Amino acid sequence: MVYQKFDEIDWVTPDTKEFAYYWRSLDRDRVVPRHSSIDPTRISPLLPGIAIYEVRSRDEIVYRLAGTALVDHFGMEVTGKNFLDFWEGERREVVVDAIFDCISKPCGMFTKLQGISQKGRVETSVAVGFPLLDEDENCNRMVFYSTGFDRGSSRIPKEDKIKSLRADQSFFIYLYA
């Protein structure tokens, strides 16, 4: 995957840009902010699209929190579920590698996604994510903001849940000035 500089990115939507710059404003004395630095009151309009993941292992990346827009999009509650269960075959390994790059290098990630429903309907969205430190200063969290959900069809989410995800385009975000 390629890298782009933070200040040179086309964030696609104003709310994606707002989220990215909010994350960048956290704990300015360090490259990766603490999870506890997030103040929901400062980004309340964005909360429905926010997900926080805990990276436990290469086999388990758990949704610790999923906003209501994500729950509505998936057609089910995903908090507590393994994010990797939505990725099939080789795509799963690519996602694991990308998330581990984000928490180890560290870097951010921007992606255009496709959600495929149980009935085969395809919906698109964009997501931007950044690493976070846990309460013990370990970089094992990711916070993502997803937006631009394009239903393009008449899918009723609770009756036709998202079963898998695909990344159309992705790139890493270079975090250093």
Side-chain angles (χ1 to χ4, degrees), residues 25-37:
S25 75
L26 302 173
D27 281 349
R28 294 294 299 186
D29 57 323
R30 54 181 62 217
V31 175
V32 177
R34 296 173 194 89
H35 178 176
S36 61
S37 298

Side-chain angles (χ1 to χ4, degrees), residues 1 3 58 61 84 90-105 107 109 172:
M1 217 176 329
Y3 278 82
R58 292 189 64 81
I61 299 174
L84 297 175
E90 289 178 12
R91 290 183 184 104
R92 183 180 173 118
E93 269 312 300
V94 170
V95 168
V96 168
D97 289 344
I99 296 289
F100 269 80
D101 279 352
C102 287
I103 64 172
S104 64
K105 289 191 176 171
C107 59
M109 184 186 337
F172 288 124

